Amino acid sequence: MTNGQQLVTSEKIKQGIVFAVAKLIQILPLIGLTMIHSGQSVASYMPYILFYTALKTGLLFVNSLGHVQNSFKITSISMLLAAGALLLLAISPWLYLTDMAAFILGASASVIMPTYEGVYYHERVVWKWHLMGTEIKTLLAFSLITVGLLTIASHFSYRLVFIVIMLFVLIGFIGMQRFEPFVKQLDESVFVEQTKSLNNLELFVWATAMAFALRYLRLFEAKFVWLLITIAVIGLVALILRVIITRGTKTKMPGWLLVAALINGAFETFLMLYIFVAIQNQSLMIGAYVTYGAAGMILAQVIRKSVQGRFSKLSDWQIL
């Protein structure tokens, strides 16, 4: 197989399905987690809060384990963990298990998309990959079928919603296992040896506490949350100061990456506000998630190259 070889249609379809799972696993569980509320109590909202918390910080935990060397394995592991968590959410009668499953699902979802991009990079080394007719049709069809099934399931029970999403993830997992052997990095371990980071682990702890507190505060007012925020801020500041003192203050970041992060942050903020408003109506809520997930996913692929190319010549952003 030579560099630059065009993908055959079957490989495009497999890639499209896995990409749809990697993107939508961050969005679709919100439908079930919104339905799970049995009232206005803290306990009924806790799976939703914990999912969102882990969705923002799960990747930090993986980074603390070391530099990812085999993105295929870590993506596969994350998909299986997500499927297991979804099964627990579907069948568990115990609140503490539901809460734990929601957190694991959020953490797995936060890992799947960036690590799958690593798998995608290994494929691009050999294959040309352009978003064209087959890719768009595959992404759109698979997304619409899944959303359609979720819409039907939402008229029955949130447990059925989680079963549908679990099958969605497993289809993606099976599709990825059928990729060509060179993509699977069979001879490489998951992490680079001796790259574990206690600093990243500590960052995960403080960031998780902060994310949990802010999400909790959005829904409920409580004195302990302000205490948790204060502790998290002190911990984060102490960590930053310690790193600066021990390692110096020179940092370098590509300018285009900073601009992309700002654009992405603005996009996420707008869509989260939209979903928050639409969430009172089930039909609007599902429409919001479709817009955020399926349409956003396709548009992101269409405009990504042009946006990245526009900002790629910016000078590096430096902190001295």
Side-chain angles (χ1 to χ4, degrees), residues 225-280:
V225 175
W226 289 109
L227 177 61
L228 185 59
I229 289 174
T230 302
I231 293 172
V233 168
I234 293 172
L236 284 168
V237 171
L239 173 62
I240 292 169
L241 290 175
R242 191 172 71 245
V243 171
I244 289 175
I245 292 169
T246 57
R247 297 188 180 182
T249 58
K250 286 190 176 181
T251 304
K252 209 172 184 181
M253 178 182 292
W256 71 266
L257 186 60
L258 177 63
V259 173
L262 291 173
I263 293 173
N264 185 63
F267 178 67
E268 292 264 350
T269 301
F270 168 76
L271 288 172
M272 282 296 101
L273 289 172
Y274 171 57
I275 289 174
F276 183 68
V277 172
I279 212 168
Q280 305 304 320

Side-chain angles (χ1 to χ4, degrees), residues 298-317:
I298 293 172
L299 285 174
Q301 288 303 297
V302 172
I303 67 174
R304 177 179 58 85
K305 285 186 178 180
S306 61
V307 171
Q308 184 172 322
R310 188 178 298 273
F311 293 109
S312 62
K313 295 181 181 179
L314 287 177
S315 59
D316 287 347
W317 177 58

Side-chain angles (χ1 to χ4, degrees), residues 96-110:
Y96 70 91
L97 274 182
T98 301
D99 293 345
M100 180 182 69
F103 187 84
I104 293 172
L105 178 59
S108 300
S110 76

